[in-house]
C-alpha cells in the first residue's frame, strides 16, 4: 500500500525517488525526509525507509500519522511486528491531535488504528484487535459502506468483545 500523498503520485514510477530528483522537487528538509521515507516504503525498500522516517517519529512537531503508518508497515515488513504494534499503540493515544492540530488528520489516524487491529490479529491478540476494530467502526459509523477502512475491517476475523 502506498503511503503519503507524494508516494501516491510517484510510487507507480520505476525509481520514484530518482524522478523527484530529476524534476528538482524542492521541499523543506523534514518534509523531504518524510516524503522520501514514504516512497522508500512504497517501493519495498523498508530498511532505508525506516532510516528516513524513524527520526521524524521520535521528534514530532505535530501529528504525522501517514509517516507513522509507513513506519509501522516498514517495521512489520522487516520482521518487527512487536515494534510496529508498540508504535501504533502510542499513536492511538494521540486521538485529539487528529482533529485539533492545524490540519485534519482523522483519516490517517484512523488508518493507523485499522492497521493496529490488523497487526493485533497477526500477532495473536484477537481481543485487542476486536477492541480497536470496534472503536474504528464506531468512528466510521456514518461512512459509506464501501469506505476502504470499513472494507479492511470487514476482512478481520470476527472476535467478540469481552
Amino acid at each position: 500500500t502506498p503511503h503519503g500523498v507524494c508516494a501516491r503520485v510517484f510510487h507507480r514510477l520505476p525509481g520514484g525517488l530518482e524522478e523527484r530528483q530529476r524534476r528538482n522537487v524542492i521541499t523543506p528538509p523534514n518534509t523531504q525526509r518524510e516524503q522520501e521515507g514514504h516512497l522508500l516504503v512504497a517501493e519495498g525498500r523498508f530498511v532505508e525507509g525506516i532510516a528516513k522516517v524513524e527520526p521524524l517519529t521520535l521528534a514530532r512537531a505535530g501529528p504525522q500519522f501517514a509517516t507513522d503508518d509507513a513506519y509501522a508497515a516498514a517495521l512489520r515488513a522487516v520482521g518487527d511486528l512487536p515494534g510496529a504494534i508498540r508504535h501504533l499503540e502510542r499513536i492511538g493515544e494521540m486521538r485529539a491531535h487528529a482533529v485539533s492540530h492545524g490540519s485534519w488528520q482523522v483519516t490517517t489516524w484512523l488508518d493507523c488504528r485499522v492497521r493496529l487491529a490488523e497487526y493485533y490479529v497477526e500477532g495473536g491478540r484477537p481481543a485487542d484487535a476486536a477492541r480497536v476494530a470496534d472503536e474504528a467502526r464506531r468512528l466510521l459509523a456514518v461512512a459509506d459502506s464501501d469506505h476502504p477502512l470499513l472494507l479492511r475491517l470487514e476482512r478481520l476475523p470476527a472476535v467478540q468483545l469481552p
Side-chain angles (χ1 to χ4, degrees), residues 45-68:
R45 297 163 59 187
F46 302 115
V47 173
E48 294 170 86
I50 289 169
K52 281 283 185 188
V53 299
E54 186 173 43
L56 299 173
T57 68
L58 300 173
R60 26 179 95 250
Q64 300 168 323
F65 300 125
T67 298
D68 293 309

Side-chain angles (χ1 to χ4, degrees), residues 38-49 77-78:
H38 290 207
L39 288 168
L40 289 165
V41 172
E43 292 176 353
R45 297 163 59 187
F46 302 115
V47 173
E48 294 170 86
V78 299

